Amino acid sequence: MNPQQAQTTIGEPNTTAIVFFLAFVGLTLAITYWAARKTKTTSEFFAAGGGVTGLQNGFALAGDFMSAASFLGIAGLVALSGFDGLIYSVGWLVGWPVVTFLIAEPLRNLGKYTFADVVAYRLKQTPVRISAAVGTLTVVAFYLIAQMVGAGNLIRMMFGLSYEAAVLIVGVVMILYVLFGGMIATTWVQIVKAVLLLGGATALAVMVLAKFGYSPLALFQEAARQYGPEVLAPGKLVSSPLEAVSLGLALMFGTAGLPHILMRFYTVPNAKAARSSVFYATGLIGYFYLVTFILGFGASVLLGRGAITSVDKGGNMAAPMLSEAVGGTPFLGFISAVAFATILAVVAGLTLSGAAALSHDLWTHVVRKGNSPEHEQLRVARLASLGLGILAILLGILFKGQNVAFMVGLAFAIAASANFPALLLSMSWKGFTTKGAVASMITGTASAVLLIFLSPTVQVDLLGNKEAIFPLKNPGIITMPLAFFMGWLVSLLAPEPEASSRYAEVKHRMHVGAEADALTPPANGTPAAATPVRTPGTQTT
């Protein structure tokens, strides 16, 4: 395939892609209808009633994490940069052992719907939940923008629709998923999407390897012959060791702070299922990233970098173009529809986590002080989902034509700086206090936003300035330690004996667990010891 052929084919409406896309939407809307009949309580809306198995949640976690950025972006990076393109996939993947050993079990045992439940368990509710909601909504907003703009560009190039129409379609279908089906529908949509994505990527990789005698080594040797041996060595994409460490920290610990990932640990019945779901997800995601490595090198060898960049400068269309080269237009249609389905599912998960922050953290515990009845909580949750869906559509249209790579990096940097330090300190340090938690989360959020705005990604790449005030593209090496430091320092300066006295209870519950319905923390800013323990099946907060 030459660049001219790629341009004419990619830009035309693809009947197969439209058929596959409509089939996927039809299937998932049927799932949503089924789930809506089972979603009657806030527990079912936010956590699927805790009835998801470890294997199901593993596939759903993998579906949440394998976004279009992973499928399209990493394949494009490898195609254009060679071995160095794997830095993102490796950074994301090694974050999962952190989730397994530090986060999954304590989060499931201590929380209810959001990670703020854990941070606020022995602290004062109102300031902690407000601070946590600020960080959560900031992460969700930037992630949503990236996904919506990616959807608009993909459909504009593949289906022949306008950018605005594509964004509107994604937003409307996603709102239907979340508004009516809640977490039950979102979970099954993620499972279906994960199976399709893994199957499609595997089929594409097998077709590529068939052209090289099913030998990955032969593929790599051909890449080295065309582009030189440096294509198989690191150092081209991220040449500065400091930059590499900073990016790695953000990717690795950002995984353990993403609100839509953390929320998934409340959908399983116990801590054992939470651990097993991470085990399954890690295997699926690791396999997927190995496949994208094959796709990236296959695209660079079979298509040529010039053909790839002629369609999209960032290389994001490398995988769809490769699918056409090895499988023809019908296979291109299937892969395009799978990529679009990927965006739909991830946006649904993000919207649900944002709705949980607005409804559960802010409305129920801050505005209503824990006195919100069940039907009111569910109504506010659905209104929040609708509002976030509309906001996602508007932001997607507003940011048309923008480079969204920095938004994904910002989302991970904020998650690693605002959410992860406070979450880890609350579970591991007896002296952590309310003021320390607020200082950690606000410092992490504000510093990450500020430093990325001052970084070369924004100042040079987007605004066209000659140089940036802050030299690193990703500020994780500064902002994450700063959030830990502020949490430690402010906690020492403003000790909280009541919080310290309850640490033994937190530590015990982290390790031995408790009934999920007996975990409600205080709702009025007083120590949780005064809060009655709920019995299973009740909805009292």
Side-chain angles (χ1 to χ4, degrees), residues 60-205:
L61 273 169
D64 252 328
F65 203 73
M66 294 184 302
S67 67
S70 296
F71 180 46
L72 302 177
I74 292 178
L77 278 175
V78 174
L80 299 182
S81 303
F83 182 88
D84 248 14
L86 278 183
I87 187 171
Y88 281 89
S89 56
V90 171
W92 284 328
L93 184 61
V94 297
W96 285 97
V98 177
V99 176
T100 304
F101 296 111
L102 291 181
I103 301 296
E105 185 173 346
L107 198 75
R108 176 61 187 78
N109 286 337
L110 286 170
K112 185 180 178 185
Y113 300 142
T114 67
F115 88 94
D117 290 337
V118 178
V119 180
Y121 188 90
R122 59 190 174 96
L123 306 177
K124 294 177 181 178
Q125 299 291 296
T126 298
V128 171
R129 289 189 183 274
I130 290 174
S131 303
V134 169
T136 294
L137 293 172
T138 306
V139 173
V140 167
F142 280 94
Y143 231 122
L144 276 176
I145 292 171
Q147 297 296 325
M148 297 300 282
V149 174
N153 288 329
L154 181 68
I155 300 311
R156 176 178 59 81
M157 300 176 76
M158 301 307 306
F159 296 168
L161 298 175
S162 70
Y163 174 87
E164 289 77 11
V167 170
L168 185 63
I169 290 172
V170 176
V172 169
V173 176
M174 173 270 296
I175 288 172
L176 292 176
Y177 290 162
V178 178
L179 197 61
F180 298 106
M183 181 58 87
I184 299 174
T186 302
T187 296
W188 282 101
V189 168
Q190 293 287 15
I191 292 172
V192 171
K193 163 260 179 118
V195 171
L196 285 174
L197 185 59
L198 288 167
T202 300
L204 182 53

Side-chain angles (χ1 to χ4, degrees), residues 288-369:
F288 175 72
Y289 284 147
L290 287 176
V291 170
T292 57
F293 194 46
I294 299 294
L295 302 186
F297 273 104
S300 66
V301 170
L302 297 176
L303 300 175
R305 292 176 178 176
I308 296 170
T309 54
S310 70
V311 173
D312 182 89
K313 291 183 180 179
N316 294 318
M317 297 306 294
M321 291 172 66
L322 179 65
S323 67
E324 184 179 36
V326 299
T329 304
F331 193 54
L332 167 67
F334 172 72
I335 292 296
S336 302
V338 167
F340 195 51
T342 297
I343 295 172
L344 275 176
V346 172
V347 167
L350 287 165
T351 302
L352 196 59
S353 65
L358 289 170
S359 173
H360 177 66
D361 291 332
L362 294 183
W363 178 262
T364 301
H365 286 90
V366 175
V367 176
R368 299 285 283 165
K369 305 297 183 184

Side-chain angles (χ1 to χ4, degrees), residues 41-44 112-113 372-374 377 517 534-535 537-541:
T41 67
T42 50
S43 174
E44 290 163 344
K112 185 180 178 185
Y113 300 142
S372 176
E374 177 72 22
Q377 294 179 45
D517 284 333
R534 294 189 295 130
T535 56
T538 64
Q539 298 298 331
T540 307
T541 54

Side-chain angles (χ1 to χ4, degrees), residues 286-520:
Y287 168 76
F288 175 72
Y289 284 147
L290 287 176
V291 170
T292 57
F293 194 46
I294 299 294
L295 302 186
F297 273 104
S300 66
V301 170
L302 297 176
L303 300 175
R305 292 176 178 176
I308 296 170
T309 54
S310 70
V311 173
D312 182 89
K313 291 183 180 179
N316 294 318
M317 297 306 294
M321 291 172 66
L322 179 65
S323 67
E324 184 179 36
V326 299
T329 304
F331 193 54
L332 167 67
F334 172 72
I335 292 296
S336 302
V338 167
F340 195 51
T342 297
I343 295 172
L344 275 176
V346 172
V347 167
L350 287 165
T351 302
L352 196 59
S353 65
L358 289 170
S359 173
H360 177 66
D361 291 332
L362 294 183
W363 178 262
T364 301
H365 286 90
V366 175
V367 176
R368 299 285 283 165
K369 305 297 183 184
N371 297 317
S372 176
E374 177 72 22
H375 66 88
E376 182 183 88
Q377 294 179 45
L378 194 57
R379 184 173 68 250
V380 171
R382 285 185 164 138
L383 287 173
S385 300
L386 178 62
L388 282 169
I390 294 172
L391 178 65
I393 294 172
L394 294 176
L395 289 174
I397 294 174
L398 180 65
F399 281 83
K400 176 183 178 180
Q402 293 295 316
N403 182 335
V404 297
F406 79 98
M407 295 178 187
V408 176
L410 179 56
F412 269 83
I414 294 171
S417 305
N419 299 346
F420 177 70
L423 186 60
L424 186 61
L425 287 172
S426 68
M427 295 187 299
S428 60
W429 185 31
K430 180 179 179 180
F432 198 48
T433 67
T434 299
K435 291 182 179 179
V438 171
S440 176
M441 288 186 283
I442 296 299
T443 298
T445 304
S447 61
V449 172
L450 176 63
L451 291 184
I452 286 197
F453 177 74
L454 299 177
S455 73
T457 306
V458 176
Q459 295 296 317
V460 177
D461 297 345
L462 290 181
L463 301 182
N465 296 327
K466 291 184 177 180
E467 58 183 30
I469 299 173
F470 181 70
L472 299 178
K473 291 184 177 181
N474 194 295
I477 198 169
I478 302 295
T479 56
M480 196 175 79
L482 183 61
F484 272 111
F485 175 75
M486 290 301 294
W488 169 78
L489 179 64
V490 174
S491 293
L492 289 182
L493 296 176
E496 193 173 341
E498 290 174 314
S500 299
S501 67
R502 299 204 58 237
Y503 180 70
E505 176 192 339
V506 169
K507 191 173 181 180
H508 175 76
R509 194 179 294 276
M510 274 197 307
H511 295 300
V512 303
E515 285 293 328
D517 284 333
L519 298 180
T520 303

